[in-house]
Amino acid sequence: MDRSREQQMEGSGAVPGPEFTALEQLMVRYQQADAAAATALIEQLSPLLYRFFAAQLGNRDDASDMLQDAWLRIHRARHTYRAGEPVLPWVYAIARCVRVDSYRKRRRIAVREVVVDVLPEPATAGDASADLPSFDQLIADLPASQREVLTLLKVNGLSLEEVAQATSSSVGSVKQKAHRAYERLRSLLRSSYVRRGTAS
Amino acid sequence: MRNREPIESEMDELLSGRQFLPVPPDRLKRIEAAVTADLKPVRPMASDGVYFAAFGGVFLAVWIIGCYMAGQRGWHALSDIQRIAVFAPLAVTTALLAFSVVRQMRPAAKYARSSARLSAGVFVLLLLIMPVIFQPARELAFVRNGMACFRTGMRFAIPAAFFFALLLLRGAALSPALIGATAGGLAGLVGLAVLEIHCPNLNVYHIVVWHVSVTLVCVVAGLIFSSVTFRRSTSNQ
């Protein structure tokens, strides 16, 4: 893993992903129908993808369905990967498309269905300080595009360039979305601190 | 962004204690089984240059055949300035659209959307130039003449669209609507380019309404066709 990526991972608190070069090699072997490489790729990338879906949806069942859908599409599109190119932006571009399609599908279904009851998902964060909102609660208030950028940067540990590549946008646009997200989160955190102060 | 924003440390603090849920093991096994059961060697996609040449080749081939079959009376009716003003933006739009289509065939490829936006901008510029370089004229059979031109344009745009669709099958369309509209636009430009060579009618209304509409109809048709096809393929999964 290159140094800049390591530094970014250390700073972000994100769980480090698998080695890039190893992933590229696995991907090439996967294209050559190597079953061991396919299994290794699924085992290494699935936690990252699951985290990507779960962080934005907050629903484990949907995240799990989307993970399966993502792998079906990755499998069908595996010939579009070119050796030597980073694997993660390629994978996340497909995952992002799965998330958008799933959102549209759920919206179509929701229009036809009558909502009887909505049970809140149990909080998934293992946050030590109970007074502070969890990461999921914090980002839930952000617009989808900012939430996506923040998830890719902070949870999945991608660099700005990789996020730009995965989201088909420019680095400047990613920086702007992240900056706006931080601005909004700052005010949210400030208000939670105020609440904590008044409570104690 | 280079200096870490203060909020980032707060978020890192939140993330450091966060326990990420593992993927359900049964789901992981199911995915592995599905992928390995259908494991066949695949040939990686050729370089972007190859596809760009293929799209350009189809465009040129259909355009040349179209000009040969429909005739070149329009070319002779145009002045040198009109030729440059029409064909230079058309060539730029075509190149940008072809570039965009090729880029959209691969996930995470750079400049796919920006080149499509730029090509739309150049095309709008062409529309703005047209009233300056062509004069309005009164036409008795505006609709009949126009429909004849529209049919001629579509006669060459449709085969081009078919060949473009064959090329697109090799890629992975992550944004079916956009790639459909882009490829449709490229096919429509074949029809428009044929008409600019073929049609001697220099009435600006005729050109803007009937020649340009070939491209616009193809954009909309490509968008709808691609979206519907993709929706069917995903709902069948």
Side-chain angles (χ1 to χ4, degrees), chain A residues 11-12 31 60 64-65 68-69 75-76 78-80 82 85 126 135-136 138 154 179 193, chain B residues 4-5 7-8 10-12 14 17-18 21 27 32 38 40 42 45-46 48 106 170 174 237:
Chain A
S12 69
Q31 288 180 326
R60 281 175 255 168
S64 168
D65 287 343
Q68 187 162 342
D69 192 14
H75 185 66
R76 271 186 291 169
R78 66 193 187 278
H79 66 283
T80 62
R82 287 209 193 109
E85 289 187 0
F135 179 81
D136 297 333
L138 268 179
K154 308 302 288 182
H179 180 74
Y193 279 134
Chain B
R4 288 167 61 74
E5 300 200 30
I7 191 76
E8 279 199 76
E10 308 273 359
M11 296 192 59
D12 293 342
L14 289 172
R18 195 171 189 266
L21 288 166
R27 185 59 72 120
E32 280 174 10
D38 183 42
K40 294 182 203 101
V42 288
M45 255 179 91
D48 287 355
R106 237 164 17 91
R170 181 72 185 135
L174 291 189
Q237 277 171 17

mmCIF file of all heavy atoms in Angstrom, chain A residues 11-12 31 60 64-65 68-69 75-76 78-80 82 85 126 135-136 138 154 179 193, chain B residues 4-5 7-8 10-12 14 17-18 21 27 32 38 40 42 45-46 48 106 170 174 237:
data_model
loop_
_atom_site.group_PDB
_atom_site.id
_atom_site.type_symbol
_atom_site.label_atom_id
_atom_site.label_comp_id
_atom_site.label_asym_id
_atom_site.label_seq_id
_atom_site.Cartn_x
_atom_site.Cartn_y
_atom_site.Cartn_z
ATOM 1 N N GLY A 11 -5.258 8.711 9.305
ATOM 2 C CA GLY A 11 -5.952 9.932 9.697
ATOM 3 C C GLY A 11 -7.455 9.774 9.736
ATOM 4 O O GLY A 11 -8.126 10.365 10.562
ATOM 5 N N SER A 12 -7.976 8.986 8.841
ATOM 6 C CA SER A 12 -9.435 8.934 8.704
ATOM 7 C C SER A 12 -10.101 8.016 9.711
ATOM 8 O O SER A 12 -11.271 8.162 9.996
ATOM 9 C CB SER A 12 -9.807 8.456 7.298
ATOM 10 O OG SER A 12 -9.458 7.114 7.166
ATOM 11 N N GLN A 31 -10.551 -12.644 -14.092
ATOM 12 C CA GLN A 31 -10.925 -12.571 -15.515
ATOM 13 C C GLN A 31 -10.532 -13.849 -16.259
ATOM 14 O O GLN A 31 -11.152 -14.213 -17.245
ATOM 15 C CB GLN A 31 -10.239 -11.378 -16.184
ATOM 16 C CG GLN A 31 -10.823 -10.031 -15.768
ATOM 17 C CD GLN A 31 -10.115 -8.871 -16.443
ATOM 18 O OE1 GLN A 31 -8.920 -8.917 -16.689
ATOM 19 N NE2 GLN A 31 -10.860 -7.822 -16.741
ATOM 20 N N ARG A 60 -29.631 -3.385 7.226
ATOM 21 C CA ARG A 60 -28.732 -4.512 6.937
ATOM 22 C C ARG A 60 -29.268 -5.444 5.858
ATOM 23 O O ARG A 60 -28.517 -5.959 5.056
ATOM 24 C CB ARG A 60 -28.468 -5.295 8.216
ATOM 25 C CG ARG A 60 -27.438 -4.625 9.095
ATOM 26 C CD ARG A 60 -27.313 -5.366 10.394
ATOM 27 N NE ARG A 60 -27.971 -4.622 11.450
ATOM 28 C CZ ARG A 60 -28.226 -5.122 12.650
ATOM 29 N NH1 ARG A 60 -27.927 -6.358 12.928
ATOM 30 N NH2 ARG A 60 -28.797 -4.388 13.583
ATOM 31 N N SER A 64 -27.412 -6.166 2.370
ATOM 32 C CA SER A 64 -27.034 -7.523 2.008
ATOM 33 C C SER A 64 -27.564 -7.892 0.610
ATOM 34 O O SER A 64 -26.867 -8.522 -0.190
ATOM 35 C CB SER A 64 -27.572 -8.404 3.111
ATOM 36 O OG SER A 64 -27.548 -9.671 2.832
ATOM 37 N N ASP A 65 -28.784 -7.485 0.313
ATOM 38 C CA ASP A 65 -29.346 -7.714 -1.037
ATOM 39 C C ASP A 65 -28.538 -6.959 -2.088
ATOM 40 O O ASP A 65 -28.256 -7.472 -3.174
ATOM 41 C CB ASP A 65 -30.798 -7.217 -1.105
ATOM 42 C CG ASP A 65 -31.745 -8.135 -0.353
ATOM 43 O OD1 ASP A 65 -31.334 -9.279 -0.075
ATOM 44 O OD2 ASP A 65 -32.869 -7.698 -0.043
ATOM 45 N N GLN A 68 -25.248 -8.585 -2.952
ATOM 46 C CA GLN A 68 -25.402 -9.693 -3.897
ATOM 47 C C GLN A 68 -25.600 -9.158 -5.323
ATOM 48 O O GLN A 68 -24.993 -9.656 -6.274
ATOM 49 C CB GLN A 68 -26.592 -10.549 -3.487
ATOM 50 C CG GLN A 68 -26.703 -11.809 -4.317
ATOM 51 C CD GLN A 68 -27.574 -12.853 -3.651
ATOM 52 O OE1 GLN A 68 -27.832 -12.795 -2.451
ATOM 53 N NE2 GLN A 68 -28.026 -13.807 -4.427
ATOM 54 N N ASP A 69 -26.432 -8.134 -5.431
ATOM 55 C CA ASP A 69 -26.673 -7.521 -6.744
ATOM 56 C C ASP A 69 -25.381 -6.931 -7.309
ATOM 57 O O ASP A 69 -25.084 -7.064 -8.502
ATOM 58 C CB ASP A 69 -27.746 -6.434 -6.589
ATOM 59 C CG ASP A 69 -28.267 -5.938 -7.917
ATOM 60 O OD1 ASP A 69 -28.009 -6.611 -8.932
ATOM 61 O OD2 ASP A 69 -28.927 -4.893 -7.945
ATOM 62 N N HIS A 75 -19.563 -9.346 -11.716
ATOM 63 C CA HIS A 75 -19.254 -10.570 -12.460
ATOM 64 C C HIS A 75 -19.528 -10.388 -13.957
ATOM 65 O O HIS A 75 -18.728 -10.780 -14.799
ATOM 66 C CB HIS A 75 -20.092 -11.719 -11.896
ATOM 67 C CG HIS A 75 -19.766 -13.038 -12.506
ATOM 68 N ND1 HIS A 75 -18.553 -13.648 -12.327
ATOM 69 C CD2 HIS A 75 -20.495 -13.860 -13.309
ATOM 70 C CE1 HIS A 75 -18.541 -14.788 -12.987
ATOM 71 N NE2 HIS A 75 -19.706 -14.938 -13.596
ATOM 72 N N ARG A 76 -20.667 -9.738 -14.254
ATOM 73 C CA ARG A 76 -21.028 -9.545 -15.670
ATOM 74 C C ARG A 76 -20.140 -8.510 -16.355
ATOM 75 O O ARG A 76 -19.957 -8.540 -17.562
ATOM 76 C CB ARG A 76 -22.491 -9.132 -15.789
ATOM 77 C CG ARG A 76 -23.409 -10.352 -15.894
ATOM 78 C CD ARG A 76 -24.807 -9.936 -16.142
ATOM 79 N NE ARG A 76 -25.345 -9.286 -14.963
ATOM 80 C CZ ARG A 76 -26.490 -8.619 -14.916
ATOM 81 N NH1 ARG A 76 -27.207 -8.511 -15.984
ATOM 82 N NH2 ARG A 76 -26.918 -8.075 -13.815
ATOM 83 N N ARG A 78 -16.927 -7.902 -15.532
ATOM 84 C CA ARG A 78 -15.522 -8.097 -15.173
ATOM 85 C C ARG A 78 -14.585 -7.885 -16.361
ATOM 86 O O ARG A 78 -13.422 -7.552 -16.185
ATOM 87 C CB ARG A 78 -15.304 -9.456 -14.521
ATOM 88 C CG ARG A 78 -15.536 -10.668 -15.397
ATOM 89 C CD ARG A 78 -15.601 -11.916 -14.527
ATOM 90 N NE ARG A 78 -15.651 -13.151 -15.296
ATOM 91 C CZ ARG A 78 -16.774 -13.646 -15.829
ATOM 92 N NH1 ARG A 78 -17.916 -13.008 -15.703
ATOM 93 N NH2 ARG A 78 -16.741 -14.786 -16.500
ATOM 94 N N HIS A 79 -15.098 -8.084 -17.558
ATOM 95 C CA HIS A 79 -14.240 -7.891 -18.735
ATOM 96 C C HIS A 79 -13.907 -6.410 -18.976
ATOM 97 O O HIS A 79 -13.006 -6.092 -19.726
ATOM 98 C CB HIS A 79 -14.926 -8.463 -19.989
ATOM 99 C CG HIS A 79 -16.173 -7.727 -20.365
ATOM 100 N ND1 HIS A 79 -17.365 -7.905 -19.699
ATOM 101 C CD2 HIS A 79 -16.404 -6.800 -21.313
ATOM 102 C CE1 HIS A 79 -18.282 -7.112 -20.232
ATOM 103 N NE2 HIS A 79 -17.732 -6.438 -21.208
ATOM 104 N N THR A 80 -14.653 -5.503 -18.330
ATOM 105 C CA THR A 80 -14.402 -4.070 -18.545
ATOM 106 C C THR A 80 -13.273 -3.545 -17.659
ATOM 107 O O THR A 80 -12.850 -2.411 -17.816
ATOM 108 C CB THR A 80 -15.661 -3.221 -18.279
ATOM 109 O OG1 THR A 80 -16.053 -3.383 -16.915
ATOM 110 C CG2 THR A 80 -16.809 -3.624 -19.191
ATOM 111 N N ARG A 82 -9.506 -3.168 -16.673
ATOM 112 C CA ARG A 82 -8.231 -3.265 -17.393
ATOM 113 C C ARG A 82 -7.083 -3.439 -16.416
ATOM 114 O O ARG A 82 -6.998 -2.697 -15.428
ATOM 115 C CB ARG A 82 -7.997 -2.002 -18.225
ATOM 116 C CG ARG A 82 -8.906 -1.978 -19.417
ATOM 117 C CD ARG A 82 -8.297 -1.214 -20.570
ATOM 118 N NE ARG A 82 -9.359 -0.994 -21.526
ATOM 119 C CZ ARG A 82 -9.889 0.191 -21.750
ATOM 120 N NH1 ARG A 82 -9.438 1.252 -21.155
ATOM 121 N NH2 ARG A 82 -10.872 0.314 -22.622
ATOM 122 N N GLU A 85 -5.071 -0.914 -13.667
ATOM 123 C CA GLU A 85 -5.868 0.202 -13.164
ATOM 124 C C GLU A 85 -6.371 -0.125 -11.752
ATOM 125 O O GLU A 85 -6.556 -1.302 -11.427
ATOM 126 C CB GLU A 85 -7.055 0.468 -14.101
ATOM 127 C CG GLU A 85 -6.585 1.067 -15.405
ATOM 128 C CD GLU A 85 -7.723 1.497 -16.305
ATOM 129 O OE1 GLU A 85 -8.885 1.337 -15.924
ATOM 130 O OE2 GLU A 85 -7.411 1.983 -17.399
ATOM 131 N N GLY A 126 -20.720 1.316 17.573
ATOM 132 C CA GLY A 126 -20.229 0.950 18.889
ATOM 133 C C GLY A 126 -19.562 2.152 19.504
ATOM 134 O O GLY A 126 -18.408 2.084 19.918
ATOM 135 N N PHE A 135 -21.856 7.939 13.989
ATOM 136 C CA PHE A 135 -21.499 8.353 12.625
ATOM 137 C C PHE A 135 -22.710 8.229 11.705
ATOM 138 O O PHE A 135 -23.004 9.120 10.924
ATOM 139 C CB PHE A 135 -20.337 7.477 12.141
ATOM 140 C CG PHE A 135 -19.890 7.802 10.742
ATOM 141 C CD1 PHE A 135 -19.046 8.865 10.494
ATOM 142 C CD2 PHE A 135 -20.334 7.042 9.663
ATOM 143 C CE1 PHE A 135 -18.657 9.175 9.210
ATOM 144 C CE2 PHE A 135 -19.938 7.345 8.372
ATOM 145 C CZ PHE A 135 -19.093 8.416 8.152
ATOM 146 N N ASP A 136 -23.431 7.110 11.845
ATOM 147 C CA ASP A 136 -24.603 6.883 10.993
ATOM 148 C C ASP A 136 -25.674 7.944 11.209
ATOM 149 O O ASP A 136 -26.271 8.435 10.262
ATOM 150 C CB ASP A 136 -25.211 5.501 11.280
ATOM 151 C CG ASP A 136 -24.240 4.399 10.954
ATOM 152 O OD1 ASP A 136 -23.384 4.633 10.088
ATOM 153 O OD2 ASP A 136 -24.335 3.330 11.561
ATOM 154 N N LEU A 138 -25.186 10.909 12.318
ATOM 155 C CA LEU A 138 -24.692 12.189 11.807
ATOM 156 C C LEU A 138 -24.878 12.309 10.304
ATOM 157 O O LEU A 138 -25.432 13.288 9.814
ATOM 158 C CB LEU A 138 -23.202 12.328 12.126
ATOM 159 C CG LEU A 138 -22.825 13.017 13.425
ATOM 160 C CD1 LEU A 138 -21.323 13.027 13.567
ATOM 161 C CD2 LEU A 138 -23.355 14.431 13.465
ATOM 162 N N LYS A 154 -14.415 8.444 4.383
ATOM 163 C CA LYS A 154 -14.151 8.149 5.793
ATOM 164 C C LYS A 154 -14.380 6.688 6.176
ATOM 165 O O LYS A 154 -13.674 6.170 7.015
ATOM 166 C CB LYS A 154 -15.025 9.040 6.698
ATOM 167 C CG LYS A 154 -14.950 10.512 6.416
ATOM 168 C CD LYS A 154 -13.564 11.078 6.529
ATOM 169 C CE LYS A 154 -13.069 11.179 7.940
ATOM 170 N NZ LYS A 154 -11.716 11.790 7.989
ATOM 171 N N HIS A 179 -16.422 19.295 1.803
ATOM 172 C CA HIS A 179 -16.346 20.530 2.597
ATOM 173 C C HIS A 179 -17.739 20.925 3.098
ATOM 174 O O HIS A 179 -17.911 21.264 4.274
ATOM 175 C CB HIS A 179 -15.744 21.648 1.744
ATOM 176 C CG HIS A 179 -15.621 22.946 2.474
ATOM 177 N ND1 HIS A 179 -14.670 23.159 3.440
ATOM 178 C CD2 HIS A 179 -16.349 24.082 2.389
ATOM 179 C CE1 HIS A 179 -14.820 24.379 3.924
ATOM 180 N NE2 HIS A 179 -15.828 24.963 3.301
ATOM 181 N N TYR A 193 -23.077 18.930 21.308
ATOM 182 C CA TYR A 193 -22.232 19.311 22.444
ATOM 183 C C TYR A 193 -22.990 20.240 23.387
ATOM 184 O O TYR A 193 -22.902 20.124 24.600
ATOM 185 C CB TYR A 193 -20.968 20.039 21.951
ATOM 186 C CG TYR A 193 -19.899 19.091 21.461
ATOM 187 C CD1 TYR A 193 -19.245 19.337 20.252
ATOM 188 C CD2 TYR A 193 -19.528 17.978 22.203
ATOM 189 C CE1 TYR A 193 -18.259 18.491 19.793
ATOM 190 C CE2 TYR A 193 -18.531 17.116 21.752
ATOM 191 C CZ TYR A 193 -17.904 17.374 20.546
ATOM 192 O OH TYR A 193 -16.952 16.530 20.100
ATOM 193 N N ARG B 4 -6.252 19.165 7.552
ATOM 194 C CA ARG B 4 -7.456 18.455 7.988
ATOM 195 C C ARG B 4 -8.410 19.412 8.687
ATOM 196 O O ARG B 4 -8.010 20.195 9.544
ATOM 197 C CB ARG B 4 -7.063 17.313 8.917
ATOM 198 C CG ARG B 4 -6.403 16.182 8.164
ATOM 199 C CD ARG B 4 -5.746 15.241 9.131
ATOM 200 N NE ARG B 4 -6.720 14.657 10.028
ATOM 201 C CZ ARG B 4 -7.589 13.724 9.692
ATOM 202 N NH1 ARG B 4 -7.626 13.291 8.462
ATOM 203 N NH2 ARG B 4 -8.409 13.225 10.570
ATOM 204 N N GLU B 5 -9.662 19.328 8.311
ATOM 205 C CA GLU B 5 -10.648 20.209 8.920
ATOM 206 C C GLU B 5 -10.900 19.736 10.348
ATOM 207 O O GLU B 5 -10.863 18.530 10.618
ATOM 208 C CB GLU B 5 -11.933 20.165 8.106
ATOM 209 C CG GLU B 5 -11.706 20.614 6.703
ATOM 210 C CD GLU B 5 -12.992 21.045 6.036
ATOM 211 O OE1 GLU B 5 -13.889 21.516 6.726
ATOM 212 O OE2 GLU B 5 -13.077 20.924 4.811
ATOM 213 N N ILE B 7 -13.483 19.266 11.988
ATOM 214 C CA ILE B 7 -14.578 18.295 12.090
ATOM 215 C C ILE B 7 -14.101 16.875 11.776
ATOM 216 O O ILE B 7 -14.642 15.899 12.273
ATOM 217 C CB ILE B 7 -15.734 18.707 11.153
ATOM 218 C CG1 ILE B 7 -16.995 17.888 11.407
ATOM 219 C CG2 ILE B 7 -15.361 18.578 9.698
ATOM 220 C CD1 ILE B 7 -17.712 18.286 12.615
ATOM 221 N N GLU B 8 -13.046 16.767 10.977
ATOM 222 C CA GLU B 8 -12.544 15.437 10.599
ATOM 223 C C GLU B 8 -12.094 14.650 11.821
ATOM 224 O O GLU B 8 -12.311 13.446 11.910
ATOM 225 C CB GLU B 8 -11.389 15.559 9.607
ATOM 226 C CG GLU B 8 -11.842 15.775 8.201
ATOM 227 C CD GLU B 8 -10.745 15.443 7.215
ATOM 228 O OE1 GLU B 8 -10.492 14.255 6.975
ATOM 229 O OE2 GLU B 8 -10.136 16.389 6.718
ATOM 230 N N GLU B 10 -13.219 14.916 14.813
ATOM 231 C CA GLU B 10 -14.431 14.479 15.529
ATOM 232 C C GLU B 10 -14.979 13.206 14.872
ATOM 233 O O GLU B 10 -15.396 12.263 15.543
ATOM 234 C CB GLU B 10 -15.532 15.557 15.443
ATOM 235 C CG GLU B 10 -15.094 16.940 15.857
ATOM 236 C CD GLU B 10 -15.232 17.154 17.348
ATOM 237 O OE1 GLU B 10 -15.696 16.212 18.002
ATOM 238 O OE2 GLU B 10 -14.867 18.230 17.833
ATOM 239 N N MET B 11 -14.976 13.224 13.571
ATOM 240 C CA MET B 11 -15.513 12.066 12.853
ATOM 241 C C MET B 11 -14.623 10.854 13.026
ATOM 242 O O MET B 11 -15.104 9.728 13.131
ATOM 243 C CB MET B 11 -15.678 12.394 11.378
ATOM 244 C CG MET B 11 -16.695 13.483 11.179
ATOM 245 S SD MET B 11 -17.141 13.643 9.508
ATOM 246 C CE MET B 11 -17.766 12.054 9.164
ATOM 247 N N ASP B 12 -13.312 11.093 13.027
ATOM 248 C CA ASP B 12 -12.387 9.977 13.246
ATOM 249 C C ASP B 12 -12.623 9.351 14.612
ATOM 250 O O ASP B 12 -12.562 8.145 14.784
ATOM 251 C CB ASP B 12 -10.941 10.456 13.129
ATOM 252 C CG ASP B 12 -10.613 10.881 11.722
ATOM 253 O OD1 ASP B 12 -11.372 10.484 10.808
ATOM 254 O OD2 ASP B 12 -9.636 11.605 11.528
ATOM 255 N N LEU B 14 -15.440 9.303 16.173
ATOM 256 C CA LEU B 14 -16.675 8.517 16.077
ATOM 257 C C LEU B 14 -16.421 7.188 15.378
ATOM 258 O O LEU B 14 -16.964 6.151 15.753
ATOM 259 C CB LEU B 14 -17.739 9.286 15.295
ATOM 260 C CG LEU B 14 -18.346 10.499 15.992
ATOM 261 C CD1 LEU B 14 -19.231 11.260 15.023
ATOM 262 C CD2 LEU B 14 -19.147 10.062 17.188
ATOM 263 N N GLY B 17 -14.299 4.101 17.348
ATOM 264 C CA GLY B 17 -14.973 3.155 18.241
ATOM 265 C C GLY B 17 -16.071 2.374 17.554
ATOM 266 O O GLY B 17 -16.796 1.626 18.184
ATOM 267 N N ARG B 18 -16.179 2.556 16.252
ATOM 268 C CA ARG B 18 -17.305 1.974 15.532
ATOM 269 C C ARG B 18 -17.010 0.512 15.163
ATOM 270 O O ARG B 18 -15.966 0.211 14.602
ATOM 271 C CB ARG B 18 -17.522 2.781 14.259
ATOM 272 C CG ARG B 18 -18.839 2.540 13.587
ATOM 273 C CD ARG B 18 -18.961 3.562 12.491
ATOM 274 N NE ARG B 18 -20.293 3.549 11.916
ATOM 275 C CZ ARG B 18 -20.614 2.856 10.842
ATOM 276 N NH1 ARG B 18 -19.723 2.114 10.235
ATOM 277 N NH2 ARG B 18 -21.838 2.902 10.377
ATOM 278 N N LEU B 21 -20.296 -4.052 11.069
ATOM 279 C CA LEU B 21 -20.934 -5.364 11.057
ATOM 280 C C LEU B 21 -20.325 -6.248 9.978
ATOM 281 O O LEU B 21 -20.050 -5.767 8.880
ATOM 282 C CB LEU B 21 -22.425 -5.202 10.763
ATOM 283 C CG LEU B 21 -23.252 -4.599 11.887
ATOM 284 C CD1 LEU B 21 -24.600 -4.182 11.348
ATOM 285 C CD2 LEU B 21 -23.413 -5.615 13.002
ATOM 286 N N ARG B 27 -24.875 -15.246 3.223
ATOM 287 C CA ARG B 27 -24.960 -14.410 2.013
ATOM 288 C C ARG B 27 -23.641 -14.456 1.233
ATOM 289 O O ARG B 27 -23.620 -14.561 0.011
ATOM 290 C CB ARG B 27 -25.308 -12.981 2.429
ATOM 291 C CG ARG B 27 -25.561 -12.017 1.276
ATOM 292 C CD ARG B 27 -26.697 -12.478 0.394
ATOM 293 N NE ARG B 27 -27.983 -12.340 1.025
ATOM 294 C CZ ARG B 27 -28.972 -11.585 0.549
ATOM 295 N NH1 ARG B 27 -28.817 -10.930 -0.568
ATOM 296 N NH2 ARG B 27 -30.120 -11.517 1.164
ATOM 297 N N GLU B 32 -20.452 -16.364 -3.382
ATOM 298 C CA GLU B 32 -19.300 -17.141 -3.874
ATOM 299 C C GLU B 32 -19.765 -18.281 -4.774
ATOM 300 O O GLU B 32 -19.183 -18.532 -5.833
ATOM 301 C CB GLU B 32 -18.504 -17.697 -2.687
ATOM 302 C CG GLU B 32 -17.594 -16.667 -2.060
ATOM 303 C CD GLU B 32 -16.902 -17.179 -0.797
ATOM 304 O OE1 GLU B 32 -16.994 -18.403 -0.516
ATOM 305 O OE2 GLU B 32 -16.305 -16.346 -0.115
ATOM 306 N N ASP B 38 -20.483 -19.740 -12.383
ATOM 307 C CA ASP B 38 -20.578 -19.154 -13.722
ATOM 308 C C ASP B 38 -19.223 -18.581 -14.159
ATOM 309 O O ASP B 38 -19.147 -17.566 -14.831
ATOM 310 C CB ASP B 38 -21.645 -18.053 -13.700
ATOM 311 C CG ASP B 38 -21.865 -17.438 -15.069
ATOM 312 O OD1 ASP B 38 -21.906 -18.194 -16.052
ATOM 313 O OD2 ASP B 38 -21.950 -16.198 -15.154
ATOM 314 N N LYS B 40 -16.160 -18.218 -16.242
ATOM 315 C CA LYS B 40 -15.558 -18.524 -17.543
ATOM 316 C C LYS B 40 -14.511 -17.461 -17.828
ATOM 317 O O LYS B 40 -14.682 -16.312 -17.403
ATOM 318 C CB LYS B 40 -16.624 -18.451 -18.647
ATOM 319 C CG LYS B 40 -17.697 -19.506 -18.545
ATOM 320 C CD LYS B 40 -18.671 -19.381 -19.716
ATOM 321 C CE LYS B 40 -20.005 -20.018 -19.357
ATOM 322 N NZ LYS B 40 -21.031 -19.085 -18.970
ATOM 323 N N VAL B 42 -12.740 -14.458 -19.492
ATOM 324 C CA VAL B 42 -13.240 -13.373 -20.334
ATOM 325 C C VAL B 42 -12.059 -12.601 -20.929
ATOM 326 O O VAL B 42 -10.996 -12.515 -20.323
ATOM 327 C CB VAL B 42 -14.142 -12.386 -19.549
ATOM 328 C CG1 VAL B 42 -15.477 -12.995 -19.207
ATOM 329 C CG2 VAL B 42 -13.449 -11.866 -18.297
ATOM 330 N N MET B 45 -11.695 -5.875 -22.159
ATOM 331 C CA MET B 45 -12.085 -4.928 -23.219
ATOM 332 C C MET B 45 -10.852 -4.314 -23.877
ATOM 333 O O MET B 45 -9.859 -4.054 -23.195
ATOM 334 C CB MET B 45 -12.891 -3.789 -22.587
ATOM 335 C CG MET B 45 -14.357 -3.849 -22.834
ATOM 336 S SD MET B 45 -15.158 -2.472 -21.996
ATOM 337 C CE MET B 45 -15.125 -1.259 -23.269
ATOM 338 N N ALA B 46 -10.957 -4.079 -25.148
ATOM 339 C CA ALA B 46 -9.852 -3.425 -25.861
ATOM 340 C C ALA B 46 -9.710 -1.989 -25.363
ATOM 341 O O ALA B 46 -10.575 -1.481 -24.639
ATOM 342 C CB ALA B 46 -10.139 -3.450 -27.351
ATOM 343 N N ASP B 48 -9.523 2.152 -25.198
ATOM 344 C CA ASP B 48 -10.492 3.164 -25.630
ATOM 345 C C ASP B 48 -10.253 3.588 -27.072
ATOM 346 O O ASP B 48 -11.191 3.882 -27.805
ATOM 347 C CB ASP B 48 -10.404 4.396 -24.718
ATOM 348 C CG ASP B 48 -10.993 4.127 -23.344
ATOM 349 O OD1 ASP B 48 -11.544 3.032 -23.146
ATOM 350 O OD2 ASP B 48 -10.892 5.011 -22.473
ATOM 351 N N ARG B 106 -17.054 1.819 -19.781
ATOM 352 C CA ARG B 106 -16.255 1.230 -18.709
ATOM 353 C C ARG B 106 -16.554 1.933 -17.382
ATOM 354 O O ARG B 106 -16.577 3.169 -17.354
ATOM 355 C CB ARG B 106 -14.768 1.406 -19.032
ATOM 356 C CG ARG B 106 -14.007 0.128 -19.077
ATOM 357 C CD ARG B 106 -12.667 0.235 -19.744
ATOM 358 N NE ARG B 106 -12.125 1.547 -19.918
ATOM 359 C CZ ARG B 106 -11.335 2.165 -19.046
ATOM 360 N NH1 ARG B 106 -11.044 1.593 -17.910
ATOM 361 N NH2 ARG B 106 -10.854 3.360 -19.302
ATOM 362 N N ARG B 170 -20.598 -4.669 -25.849
ATOM 363 C CA ARG B 170 -19.332 -5.142 -25.309
ATOM 364 C C ARG B 170 -18.985 -4.471 -23.972
ATOM 365 O O ARG B 170 -18.209 -4.986 -23.190
ATOM 366 C CB ARG B 170 -18.244 -4.884 -26.363
ATOM 367 C CG ARG B 170 -16.873 -5.320 -26.020
ATOM 368 C CD ARG B 170 -16.682 -6.818 -26.036
ATOM 369 N NE ARG B 170 -15.346 -7.136 -25.568
ATOM 370 C CZ ARG B 170 -15.054 -8.094 -24.699
ATOM 371 N NH1 ARG B 170 -15.982 -8.871 -24.245
ATOM 372 N NH2 ARG B 170 -13.820 -8.305 -24.309
ATOM 373 N N LEU B 174 -23.405 1.724 -17.030
ATOM 374 C CA LEU B 174 -23.810 2.020 -15.659
ATOM 375 C C LEU B 174 -24.918 3.075 -15.630
ATOM 376 O O LEU B 174 -25.730 3.102 -14.730
ATOM 377 C CB LEU B 174 -22.612 2.503 -14.838
ATOM 378 C CG LEU B 174 -21.535 1.462 -14.527
ATOM 379 C CD1 LEU B 174 -20.537 2.017 -13.541
ATOM 380 C CD2 LEU B 174 -22.126 0.172 -13.986
ATOM 381 N N GLN B 237 -33.610 -10.202 -13.221
ATOM 382 C CA GLN B 237 -32.555 -10.861 -12.452
ATOM 383 C C GLN B 237 -33.122 -11.720 -11.341
ATOM 384 O O GLN B 237 -34.058 -11.343 -10.694
ATOM 385 C CB GLN B 237 -31.654 -9.804 -11.811
ATOM 386 C CG GLN B 237 -30.606 -9.313 -12.763
ATOM 387 C CD GLN B 237 -29.851 -8.127 -12.202
ATOM 388 O OE1 GLN B 237 -29.875 -7.865 -11.022
ATOM 389 N NE2 GLN B 237 -29.185 -7.400 -13.058
#
